[in-house]
Amino acid sequence: LAKTTQPISMDSYEGQEVNITCSHNNIATNDYITWYQQFPSQGPRFIIQGYKTKVTNEVASLFIPADRKSSTLSLPRVSLSDTAVYYCLVGDRYSGAGSYQLTFGKGTKLSVIP
Amino acid sequence: DVKVTQSSRYLVKRTGEKVFLECVQDMDHENMFWYRQDPGLGLRLIYFSYDVKMKEKGDIPEGYSVSREKKERFSLILESASTNQTSMYLCASSLGPVSGANVLTFGAGSRLTVL
């Protein structure tokens, strides 16, 4: 089971870059790393996904070192609207009864300060 | 965009009642999931389904059952609600073979209170 560990909370000022790290020491060969964002009273929504090295989209970047035992979500120049809980999700392919492992971390509550 | 709709945003039930939480997705996704979310515990998978009439247990299936009679609809059933099932319930769906590479699309959630 690829258990994930994230910081419980982080504070940042507007305009700063924020990096949130997720540890997943037992990640398996086929596991992908996916990050979700959740606002209060809403379901999580997809931000970014990667397997190795670096991935960038219009919202964020995801850095994954060679050993893949951790990953870092990078949010450039955060604004107040980025205040949310960020979840790291590690999982692999389902290949039969009882073999599906898709574990959410407990999430990191990011508070952006004016 | 895929839309995942959960029929009830807020429910209040009494201990011992049977509770149905309904979820519908409109983009022909093969996979559907039920999670519960509690403060300090994050999201935990209850059940998932990769095809009509197929279901698999997640991490915390005890006290729950599910039904998937049609591809677009996935129901979570609490046969006899208990106070420790007070929680936020989130439905999600994804396309293709069940895999961690497939993006989950979540509904807005159903907040259940059991008195």
Side-chain angles (χ1 to χ4, degrees), chain A residues 27-96:
Chain A
I27 190 168
T29 302
N30 296 326
D31 284 350
Y32 280 77
I33 301 156
T34 312
W35 285 80
Y36 291 82
Q37 176 191 55
Q38 186 179 26
F39 298 111
S41 301
Q42 295 184 24
R45 67 173 188 175
F46 172 80
I47 301 176
I48 197 166
Q49 183 182 75
Y51 182 78
K52 62 180 179 180
T53 64
K54 177 183 175 182
V55 179
T56 298
N57 62 21
E58 65 277 8
V59 177
S61 294
L62 178 60
F63 298 92
I64 305 169
D67 65 8
R68 303 197 332 118
K69 292 186 176 183
S70 66
S71 58
T72 299
L73 174 72
S74 180
L75 304 172
R77 297 185 297 280
V78 294
S79 64
L80 296 177
S81 62
D82 293 317
T83 294
V85 178
Y86 292 83
Y87 289 96
C88 164
L89 177 61
V90 175
D92 63 2
R93 178 174 294 275
Y94 173 72
S95 57

Side-chain angles (χ1 to χ4, degrees), chain B residues 23-76:
Chain B
C23 176
V24 177
Q25 50 94 4
D26 65 1
M27 284 298 289
D28 205 33
H29 279 184
E30 285 86 354
N31 314 308
M32 297 188 74
F33 306 80
W34 274 106
Y35 289 85
R36 65 176 283 177
Q37 183 173 33
D38 301 287
L41 297 178
L43 284 86
R44 294 179 290 168
L45 181 63
I46 304 172
Y47 268 98
F48 69 96
S49 168
Y50 54 89
D51 200 353
V52 175
K53 297 189 184 295
M54 304 304 291
K55 61 183 180 183
E56 290 293 340
K57 294 180 180 179
D59 298 322
I60 51 165
E62 297 77 20
Y64 303 94
S65 62
V66 290
S67 173
R68 194 166 180 201
E69 296 297 319
K70 293 184 178 181
K71 189 174 186 179
E72 67 271 18
R73 188 179 298 270
F74 193 35
S75 303
L76 180 69

Side-chain angles (χ1 to χ4, degrees), chain A residues 1-4 88-91 100-105, chain B residues 35 43 59:
Chain A
L1 181 62
K3 182 179 178 180
T4 59
C88 164
L89 177 61
V90 175
Y100 183 63
Q101 306 288 356
L102 193 63
T103 305
F104 275 89
Chain B
Y35 289 85
L43 284 86
D59 298 322

